[in-house]
Amino acid sequence: MATVPAQITWTDTTVYHDTHLNANIRDALAFILTPPTAVLRQTVAQTVTDSTYTAILFDTEDRDYDDGVTGGHSTTTNTSRYTAQTAGYYWASGAVTWDNNATGLRSTRWLVNGTTVP
């Protein structure tokens, strides 16, 4: 799991050690250059009805990275979920393609911890 680096306040009397430099410069840059990221998609058609919301099942991970360890998505368990491994703000976006016909209602929604996001 990635850790957002906590920076120290430098003073002119600070004795600089490799541990300070690694934690405050190297690790901070590594986090900025490779933040936790996931790109998920579905490669097979899924049946969705107009009577209830249906979770989209993601069977492919183009990227699921969190500091070189297992990210927040599984392709075998709860494939419709992404569970953030690192505290912070996340940006989510997506697209859904519907069959072209004149019956039924089509809509989408996002949920966070089971609650609809306005």
Side-chain angles (χ1 to χ4, degrees):
M1 170 172 52
T3 302
V4 179
Q7 301 300 293
I8 67 170
T9 301
W10 301 93
T11 66
D12 57 355
T13 59
T14 302
V15 176
Y16 303 105
H17 295 286
D18 59 342
T19 55
H20 292 120
L21 298 172
N22 287 341
N24 289 275
I25 297 173
R26 182 202 61 194
D27 296 349
L29 287 174
F31 185 82
I32 290 168
L33 293 172
T34 56
T37 309
V39 177
L40 312 174
R41 62 188 164 99
Q42 184 186 73
T43 60
V44 296
Q46 180 179 342
T47 301
V48 177
T49 66
D50 68 346
S51 59
T52 183
Y53 283 109
T54 303
I56 302 301
L57 307 177
F58 300 105
D59 61 356
T60 301
E61 299 170 347
D62 291 329
R63 180 170 172 90
D64 190 12
Y65 179 82
D66 195 351
D67 198 22
V69 298
T70 302
H73 180 260
S74 170
T75 56
T76 58
T77 306
N78 297 321
T79 62
S80 66
R81 298 180 187 176
Y82 179 83
T83 303
Q85 303 296 305
T86 300
Y89 291 98
Y90 285 78
W91 173 50
S93 67
V96 178
T97 303
W98 304 104
D99 283 340
N100 185 18
N101 63 47
T103 60
L105 170 70
R106 288 147 182 86
S107 63
T108 60
R109 67 180 181 172
W110 288 94
L111 285 86
V112 174
N113 297 328
T115 303
T116 301
V117 177

